[in-house]
Structures are given as structure tokens and as C-alpha cells.
Amino acid sequence: MPSPDIALVILDFDGVLTDNRVYVMEDGREAVACHRGDGWGIGLLRQAGIDVMILSTESNPVVSARAEKLGIECRQNCPDKAVATAELLEEKGVDPARVMYIGNDTNDAGAMALVGHPTSPADAHPSILKIAKTITNAKGGHGVVREIADWIV
């Protein structure tokens, strides 16, 4: 893939930074597994001057903790990701043509339609694979962002 002109990368969390599984402890706490290479990829994107953030439907302390560790913005409790994405683009004043949205499931479709670079992991829902302009070789939770960082940077 030729290196696109990207100013902002918006990441879904579950199914992109994770393999879409959740571990539920007997006390109700949740845990997920993230790929360390994605953290490195986010660092590479940020060093290149590209803004990276997480946009999640749910509100979960796991998502907040991971975003904080990575040093990126995180917006949670966004039931309509298209509305949230439109608001973000307005707030940040970024040209939608320079935005990559990486999503894996049907709740990402509306947001993906608003940006110039709709992208998905290899194991995304079939309807999302149809609208993605770019599909990674990596599956969700297995280095999706690291792979994308190599394309962009």
C-alpha cells in the first residue's frame, strides 16, 4: 500500500486493539489482551506527527487504562460512532480525507463512511470488509496498528 497522507487515526478498541475476547473474573472485573506491537506502532505514528485516538461504544476502565498507558486520547460511551466521529472531525478541524478509521464490526460502519481511509482487520465482520478500502493481514489484537504504522510511516 502506498503511504497515504494521514493526519488522524481513530481506533475502535474491541476487535482492533484486542482479539474481541474479554476475560471476566469471578468478581466481575474484565481483562483483555492487547498486542505490544500495536503500542509500538502507535508510538511510531505519533512520532510522525499523526494524532491517534480510541473511540469506543462502551465505557470500560480497561480501555481508559490502555489509552493512558499509550498516551493517546480515548472517548468512550459513544453509542453512535458516526455522530462521535463527525464531532471529532469538527473539533479537530481535520479534513476527513486525511483520517483513517479502523473498525471491525457493524457499529463502525457509519464512522468509516465519513473518512477517507476506512480500514479493518482481516477478521472484521463481512459487511465491514466490504466497505474497508484497506484490510490488514493481521487479525484484531494481533498487530493491526503495527502493520498500519509500517504502511503510513
Side-chain angles (χ1 to χ4, degrees), residues 58-138:
E58 289 187 50
S59 184
N60 190 323
V62 170
V63 180
S64 300
R66 188 65 182 149
E68 185 176 334
K69 176 156 186 164
L70 296 170
I72 61 174
E73 180 181 356
C74 174
R75 296 205 186 174
Q76 297 184 71
N77 198 24
C78 300
D80 188 329
K81 289 186 175 182
V83 168
T85 298
E87 290 171 357
L88 277 168
L89 298 177
E90 178 77 21
E91 285 173 29
K92 294 181 178 285
V94 64
D95 179 355
R98 297 186 66 214
V99 176
M100 177 179 280
Y101 185 103
I102 308 171
N104 74 304
D105 216 329
T106 55
N107 65 332
D108 296 305
M112 292 173 75
L114 298 176
V115 303
H117 301 278
T119 302
S120 71
D123 60 342
H125 187 273
S127 66
I128 295 301
L129 292 171
K130 287 180 184 177
I131 64 173
K133 286 186 181 175
T134 303
I135 301 168
T136 63
N137 292 313

Side-chain angles (χ1 to χ4, degrees), residues 12-40:
D12 177 29
F13 189 76
D14 292 319
V16 173
L17 291 175
T18 76
D19 65 3
N20 223 9
R21 294 185 299 165
V22 61
Y23 303 94
V24 181
M25 310 308 162
E26 44 185 46
D27 64 2
R29 288 179 304 125
E30 293 184 357
V32 296
C34 296
H35 194 282
R36 288 210 183 265
D38 284 339
W40 189 256

Side-chain angles (χ1 to χ4, degrees), residues 43-61:
L44 291 173
L45 293 169
R46 294 183 67 218
Q47 286 173 10
I50 298 167
D51 193 10
V52 181
M53 66 171 298
I54 295 170
L55 183 65
S56 183
T57 302
E58 289 187 50
S59 184
N60 190 323

